Amino acid sequence: MALSPNHSSTQVTEFLMICLPGMQDVQHWLSVPLAPLLVLALGTNMVLLLAIHQEASLHEPMYYLLAVLSLLDIILCLTVIPKVLLIFWFDMKPISFTGCFLQMFMMNTFLPMESSTLVVMAYDRYVAVCQPLHYPSIITGEFVVKAAMFIIFRNLLVTLPTPILAARLDYCSGNVIENCICANLSVVRLSCGDIHLNKLYQFVSVWCLMGSDLVLIFFSYCFILKAVLKLHSVTAAIKALSTCGSHFILILFFYTLLVVLVITNVARKQIPLDIPILLNVLHHLIPPAINPIVYGVRTQEIKHGILKLLKS
């Protein structure tokens, strides 16, 4: 139950997530597309991970990076979507104080990790196209391990203060979160204290991590395009670009949704509150559902590995 404003001395021990404030009567119908998408995302990513694990031809650095991406997709799906479906199906709106900040930590950490993984994959494609003779010596299993460690520690160190700063605030005036998830700004608005530091750190950390990732990906593809334009053979150019096709599609889905989400949050006074909330939920579900399908359809080695796994 929400705490009334005149009970400011009572400390909040749990939050209520009402999900979509303007669609309370019909929001349960959103579970119709969300539930199958969750099954699709978890199923396809698990199949992809098993195929990479069992098929010897997929024991290559490029596919290990794809396995890291699939693992992050599974974690993000399980962090957000099951709770959203429980709210839609059974009206299970309460979430514990600890559970809320744990979810906030998981989202703020693993989403930038996915962005960083896309950067490493962009570098992999850059080396494959621009320095093909040096590819086996540069992109190795050791490189993947070091890249994974860098991704973990870089994002952990930068994002950890976000839930810590939010958890140290006093929540005594209300506990109703107008969101489907424990997003940082949605939660800290319920605090009785000063949240300027929380807002500033959220802004700086997001743009430092994901903004820099997007810039690095952009420059990687600029160098790739420059190298492709120097090729005299049209066939060689098409082949070089095709090796980047799947990765480029993943980037489009991931960052397009993210940019639209940022724009809707900036223009929140001009659009209904439900739209950015719904986009935030979909951003944790659509890319994970699409990523393994894109690679499975466009990459012959993965397609062969999956078919071999299903036959066995």
Side-chain angles (χ1 to χ4, degrees), residues 16-291:
L16 296 180
M17 294 195 292
I18 62 171
C19 228
L20 304 172
M23 301 175 61
Q24 289 293 289
D25 295 332
V26 296
Q27 66 179 10
H28 59 278
W29 290 107
L30 291 173
S31 64
V32 175
L34 291 183
L37 276 174
L38 175 62
V39 174
L40 178 66
L42 295 178
T44 52
N45 279 287
M46 287 300 297
V47 168
L48 182 58
L49 286 172
L50 287 172
I52 293 172
H53 174 70
Q54 295 189 12
E55 181 59 39
S57 64
L58 298 180
H59 293 174
E60 299 289 341
M62 182 179 75
Y63 302 115
Y64 292 151
L65 290 172
L66 186 57
V68 171
L69 189 67
S70 285
L71 186 60
L72 292 173
D73 281 339
I74 291 172
I75 292 172
L76 282 170
C77 277
L78 293 178
T79 299
V80 173
I81 308 303
K83 178 60 179 178
V84 175
L85 291 176
L86 287 174
I87 295 172
F88 288 166
W89 286 339
F90 307 110
D91 204 32
M92 294 178 63
K93 298 176 182 178
I95 183 171
S96 68
F97 191 86
T98 303
C100 184
F101 291 105
L102 179 60
Q103 187 190 66
M104 185 188 298
F105 164 74
M106 297 287 285
M107 289 186 301
N108 280 279
T109 302
F110 286 96
L111 194 62
M113 281 186 186
E114 186 159 347
S115 175
S116 299
T117 304
L118 291 173
V119 173
V120 178
M121 294 173 76
Y123 178 71
D124 169 83
R125 293 299 85 202
Y126 160 76
V127 176
V129 174
C130 301
Q131 303 180 46
L133 297 178
H134 299 287
Y135 182 85
S137 61
I138 296 175
I139 308 299
T140 62
E142 184 181 358
F143 167 81
V144 174
V145 173
K146 289 181 178 179
M149 292 176 63
F150 171 75
I151 289 170
I152 292 171
F153 287 110
R154 174 213 188 206
N155 290 284
L156 192 62
L157 288 174
V158 176
T159 59
L160 186 59
T162 299
I164 292 176
L165 288 171
R168 61 183 282 276
L169 294 170
D170 291 324
Y171 295 89
C172 51
S173 60
N175 68 340
V176 177
I177 300 174
E178 293 186 339
N179 207 325
C180 296
I181 56 181
C182 286
N184 179 44
L185 296 182
S186 296
V187 175
V188 298
R189 287 192 183 100
L190 302 177
S191 169
C192 312
D194 184 10
I195 63 171
H196 286 93
L197 178 60
N198 301 73
K199 289 182 176 181
L200 177 62
Y201 191 84
Q202 169 93 1
F203 177 81
V204 173
S205 62
V206 168
W207 283 107
C208 283
L209 288 175
M210 305 183 80
S212 63
D213 289 345
L214 190 56
V215 170
L216 290 171
I217 290 172
F218 174 77
F219 279 113
S220 294
Y221 273 92
C222 284
F223 287 123
I224 289 172
L225 187 60
K226 182 180 178 181
V228 169
L229 291 175
K230 290 181 179 180
L231 295 174
H232 300 292
S233 170
V234 176
T235 305
I238 293 173
K239 185 178 179 180
L241 288 175
S242 67
T243 63
C244 307
S246 299
H247 179 251
F248 189 70
I249 293 171
L250 264 59
I251 291 169
L252 281 179
F253 277 112
F254 183 85
Y255 284 104
T256 300
L257 268 174
L258 195 63
V259 169
V260 172
L261 178 59
V262 170
I263 292 172
T264 55
N265 273 286
V266 171
R268 59 188 306 136
K269 292 182 179 180
Q270 285 75 38
I271 61 173
L273 178 62
D274 295 337
I275 292 178
I277 293 173
L278 185 57
L279 285 173
N280 203 354
V281 172
L282 292 176
H283 191 256
H284 288 82
L285 187 56
I286 291 179
I290 290 174
N291 291 352

